[in-house]
Amino acid sequence: MLPRYETSVALQEALARPADMWRFRELLPVEGEAVSLGEAETPLLFCPRLSDRSGIEIFVKDDSPLPGGTFKARGAAVGLSRAVELGVKQVVMPSAGNAGGAWALYAARAAIEITVTMARSAPAANQQEVVVAGGTLELVDGTIADAAARAKQIASETGAFLATTFNEPYRVDGKKTAWLEMFLQLGGGTSMRFPAAVVLPVGGGVAAVALAKAVAEVTALGWLSQPQQGPRIVGVQAADCAPIVKAFGQAQQTVEPWPVQPSTIAAGLRVPAPSEADLVLDRVRASGGTMVAVAEEDIRRAVGDLAASEGLFACPEGASTLPAAEKLARAGELEGPVVLYNTGAGIKYLDALR
């Protein structure tokens, strides 16, 4: 189903525009001038050594070059562009880390006041990003769930717009642009093609929902080089915070909150109670995909593995996709081409990696 704001556009018309996340403007909910920090199309890199090792064709969609070194830039750019159009002057949002940093940078660009709530355990680099960008940072004890409760309270007290995941609907469309780029890159730059599977980290799950949305819209628009089934969505969570993995494995329809406070190095995966976990679970199942939990030592090892084997210094969240994909490949449960999604820059995690 196409979004309500979609207007007819030919793929070739879109391809005549600059190669950035705004070239598919008709599929985005932004009518006026975009709040932009120069979000160029990010690379889709073929990985020959990983492909040889796993026996399947592996690519990495690398969003680390985006502003702020994170895929969260996509959601922030579209979300705050829409906020400007709606006359929003003040935003409050909870964050596990990178989203808060990215939204603070884009809020500065948009001249919108922002307050970000984070757990005290959130990465220091992300905390500093918010402060440097002129945002207000409020730290809370506990997890992102506690930060979300505090953000809701601030919104009630101040009238600020509450930009929690999925409560703010526009970031889904922003993150959708990663998949539109990837389909085009797989199609050789002149048409679109789906991979057999996409392996992506799942914290709040926006990227997974955005992928399903992109598949539906591209199919409806007839932009594929030939008719195809959408890719299997393989969601990856850290073993010490895997509520959706547990629900998937137990064939549950409802995801229960993770009972233990997570401590994984992959801060973006420290989401014990995703607000729309049931929706994510549904999208994964509908795609014929699966959910995989990755042990902490395997996440750490994968950061070095990607850097040493392919020259990619991935964030821990993005690196977690490698052991998940290789586990499925060894079991004969994954066919290529497979795209791993690196959501950010490893250099932002130096303190944790030490």
Side-chain angles (χ1 to χ4, degrees):
M1 182 177 179
L2 295 179
R4 60 174 177 76
Y5 39 79
E6 190 272 334
T7 57
S8 179
V9 60
L11 179 58
Q12 295 307 314
E13 180 183 344
L15 297 187
R17 301 168 184 165
D20 59 29
M21 66 170 277
W22 301 101
R23 74 189 322 178
F24 304 108
R25 186 67 172 265
E26 288 80 1
L27 299 185
L28 299 176
V30 179
E31 297 176 359
E33 184 176 353
V35 177
S36 175
L37 290 171
E39 304 79 22
E41 180 181 275
T42 61
L44 180 71
L45 302 171
F46 175 62
C47 299
R49 296 171 188 83
L50 297 182
S51 298
D52 288 345
R53 193 170 79 190
S54 63
I56 57 175
E57 191 177 19
I58 291 179
F59 295 82
V60 171
K61 178 60 173 172
D62 183 19
D63 262 1
S64 65
L66 287 170
T70 172
F71 78 129
K72 302 289 188 179
R74 296 182 185 273
V78 172
L80 284 164
S81 292
R82 188 64 179 139
V84 169
E85 292 181 347
L86 295 173
V88 172
K89 302 298 182 184
Q90 187 178 4
V91 168
V92 59
M93 67 178 298
S95 175
N98 272 319
W103 277 70
L105 292 169
Y106 279 87
R109 185 75 167 176
I112 287 177
E113 294 182 16
I114 188 167
T115 298
V116 178
T117 59
M118 290 185 183
R120 296 187 192 280
S121 58
N126 298 137
Q127 295 182 30
Q128 194 62 35
E129 273 183 303
V130 174
V131 175
V132 168
T136 299
L137 174 67
E138 185 166 328
L139 301 178
V140 302
D141 296 323
T143 69
I144 189 174
D146 301 289
R150 177 56 183 149
K152 185 176 182 179
Q153 183 181 21
I154 292 172
S156 177
E157 293 170 350
T158 65
F161 178 74
L162 181 61
T164 54
T165 303
F166 290 109
N167 180 64
E168 188 287 310
Y170 306 113
R171 73 176 74 184
V172 174
D173 287 296
K175 291 184 180 181
K176 179 180 70 182
T177 60
W179 310 123
L180 298 175
E181 290 176 12
M182 183 259 284
F183 300 155
L184 184 62
Q185 289 164 326
L186 282 173
T190 57
S191 61
M192 290 191 171
R193 182 167 73 96
F194 296 148
V198 175
V199 187
L200 48 77
V202 173
V206 177
V209 173
L211 173 55
K213 196 170 192 286
V215 168
E217 292 176 11
V218 165
T219 301
L221 285 166
W223 282 359
L224 293 169
S225 55
Q226 58 186 21
Q228 282 184 273
Q229 292 291 322
R232 295 176 64 212
I233 301 174
V234 178
V236 184
Q237 296 190 302
D240 84 336
C241 188
I244 303 179
V245 173
K246 180 181 178 183
F248 185 93
Q250 296 180 354
Q252 297 174 345
Q253 300 303 312
T254 301
V255 179
E256 299 175 356
W258 194 250
V260 181
Q261 182 163 325
S263 60
T264 175
I265 186 178
L269 301 184
R270 297 178 199 160
V271 186
S275 64
E276 298 297 330
D278 296 352
L279 176 64
V280 178
L281 187 63
D282 174 76
R283 296 298 186 267
V284 170
R285 284 179 172 150
S287 76
T290 189
M291 293 291 304
V292 180
V294 177
E296 189 67 12
E297 58 269 26
D298 291 333
I299 295 176
R300 290 178 175 272
R301 188 180 303 114
V303 173
D305 193 356
L306 276 168
S309 62
E310 300 290 355
L312 287 167
F313 191 9
C315 63
E317 295 87 348
S320 72
T321 63
L322 177 57
E326 292 193 322
K327 176 182 178 181
L328 293 175
R330 286 194 299 270
E333 299 176 6
L334 198 63
E335 297 180 355
V338 172
V339 174
L340 312 183
Y341 190 28
N342 177 41
T343 54
I347 197 169
K348 299 181 73 173
Y349 294 77
L350 293 181
D351 287 344
L353 288 169
R354 287 193 187 97

